Amino acid sequence: MIEHEGTIDNINGNQYTIRITQTTACSECHAKGACMAADTKVKMVDVVDTSGQFKLNERVLLSGKTSIGYKAILWAFVLPLILMMSVIFASISIWHVGELQAALMALVALVPYYGFLYLVRRKMGEKLAFSIKKLN
């Protein structure tokens, strides 16, 4: 289970924008002020909830199944890599083009792939959704 504590930053109907502050493992270190490795990032996550039980600036627990992360990695990194490698292999071995042209063709092949992901983003958002719970 993936869980993060966050704060409700915006409410628009049933859609809540949750602000999550991600810190590195060394953020709790006493020497973080002198260290350049300490890093903090603020991320915004949109969540749909129809219960209506949450208020603005309320601390909540954002949770999702671990499979959400695996699916996101598959769609964002693994499938594009397979597509690019397939285009490079086909370009060089079947169409007999040079390596530079094959690499450019592989990059161009990503345009329709990410265009498709953009078109189905709402449907994917429903499947890769997080839920929010009140903190005790």
Side-chain angles (χ1 to χ4, degrees), residues 27 53 76 87 111 120:
S27 66
Q53 63 179 344
V87 169
V111 173
V120 297

Side-chain angles (χ1 to χ4, degrees), residues 26-39:
C26 58
S27 66
E28 300 300 321
C29 177
H30 68 280
K32 72 178 181 181
C35 180
M36 292 298 181
D39 189 20

